[in-house]
Amino acid sequence: MKPFRPESGISTSATASSARRGPHGAYAEYTTVAPGQKTEPLARIPDGVSDDDAAALPIPAVTALGSLDLLGIAAGQSLVVMGATGGVGGYAVQMASARGAHVIATVRGDADEARRLGALEVYDSKSADVIEALRASRPGRVDAVLDLVNGPDTIGRDADILRPGGALVSTIGAANRAWFAERQIAAHNIVSSASPMSSPEGLAEIARMLEAGAISARIRSRVGLDGAGQVLEKLRTGGLHGKGVIRLQA
């Protein structure tokens, strides 16, 4: 998924997380698109959006938007975002807040960042069992959970905080749909490449959100090509709460 400006080809900034996807991404100033050939979705960058911000959007923002659509998030609903200050989580909190949802964040040590993004309640896994804390504070349970962190062995605990008829999305393929269905919960697994919003229309929508101020790109590091390895290492180890952008031109 790539943003581009028609007068100059693909944006000259590359998001660090997408650039490390093996055959699906690379560090480059330009790319070519053959007419009529199936390729990754492309969308024009609006005039009010910078190349850096556009480069930081596609994979996590499209995944967040597709997840919220699967969950059916609308005004007045309660949503728990597990891992709310990561790449996908940060966008999901902002988007859900913009829709008027009551966003509840679980984090690991960065509660202030989650509140800045728009979360109305924050639970820190460093200081409490977040599932138990949520059960105690919300006996009526919540409408939806976007789980970005829990694997197959632990994601079942999300059922303890979801109301019957609620919905769950896992971005790491951890949800056993049949198991959750037995508990009257609609569970989904989503990956960025298969997101319903992985399309020119989806890219255009998130670009409009950014231009309108509904979301921010959350760029935490801008480096030249010689700093790519350092940024990737921070992303791998959780040392960068946001996006890293590699600039190929000064």
Side-chain angles (χ1 to χ4, degrees), residues 122-160:
V122 183
Y123 296 86
D124 191 342
S125 63
K126 279 189 172 182
S127 57
D129 181 316
V130 296
I131 296 295
E132 289 301 320
L134 281 162
R135 288 181 66 186
S137 67
R138 288 191 160 263
R141 304 189 181 185
V142 300
D143 297 307
V145 172
L146 172 55
D147 197 322
L148 308 163
V149 297
N150 286 307
D153 294 338
T154 54
I155 198 169
R157 295 191 69 203
D158 291 355
D160 293 340

Side-chain angles (χ1 to χ4, degrees), residues 84-85 93 105-124 218 220 241:
T85 55
V93 171
T106 76
V107 300
R108 186 167 178 79
D110 44 1
D112 289 342
E113 172 69 359
R115 293 189 184 94
R116 188 189 69 78
L117 292 169
L120 299 177
E121 299 178 42
V122 183
Y123 296 86
D124 191 342
R218 299 182 65 228
R220 295 292 181 264
H241 297 295

Side-chain angles (χ1 to χ4, degrees), residues 42-224:
L42 298 169
R44 294 173 185 260
I45 301 172
D47 291 340
V49 174
S50 71
D51 285 359
D52 282 9
D53 285 352
L57 283 178
I59 296 174
V62 162
T63 303
L65 183 59
S67 298
L68 295 184
D69 285 352
L70 279 174
L71 292 168
I73 297 303
Q77 291 188 309
S78 54
L79 167 70
V80 175
V81 180
M82 301 271 190
T85 55
V88 176
Y91 284 124
V93 171
Q94 295 179 82
M95 291 175 184
S97 296
R99 293 187 183 192
H102 183 102
V103 181
I104 304 161
T106 76
V107 300
R108 186 167 178 79
D110 44 1
D112 289 342
E113 172 69 359
R115 293 189 184 94
R116 188 189 69 78
L117 292 169
L120 299 177
E121 299 178 42
V122 183
Y123 296 86
D124 191 342
S125 63
K126 279 189 172 182
S127 57
D129 181 316
V130 296
I131 296 295
E132 289 301 320
L134 281 162
R135 288 181 66 186
S137 67
R138 288 191 160 263
R141 304 189 181 185
V142 300
D143 297 307
V145 172
L146 172 55
D147 197 322
L148 308 163
V149 297
N150 286 307
D153 294 338
T154 54
I155 198 169
R157 295 191 69 203
D158 291 355
D160 293 340
I161 60 172
L162 276 162
R163 64 169 178 79
L168 165 78
V169 163
S170 168
T171 60
I172 57 174
N176 183 325
R177 297 180 65 183
W179 187 89
F180 279 101
E182 292 174 357
R183 289 152 182 82
Q184 303 178 58
I185 295 166
H188 309 271
N189 293 298
I190 189 173
V191 294
S192 60
S193 60
S195 166
M197 299 308 295
S198 181
S199 64
E201 294 76 18
L203 284 173
E205 183 171 347
I206 60 175
R208 285 193 296 269
M209 289 182 187
L210 183 65
E211 188 176 29
I215 60 174
S216 62
R218 299 182 65 228
I219 296 172
R220 295 292 181 264
S221 179
R222 292 177 172 87
V223 299

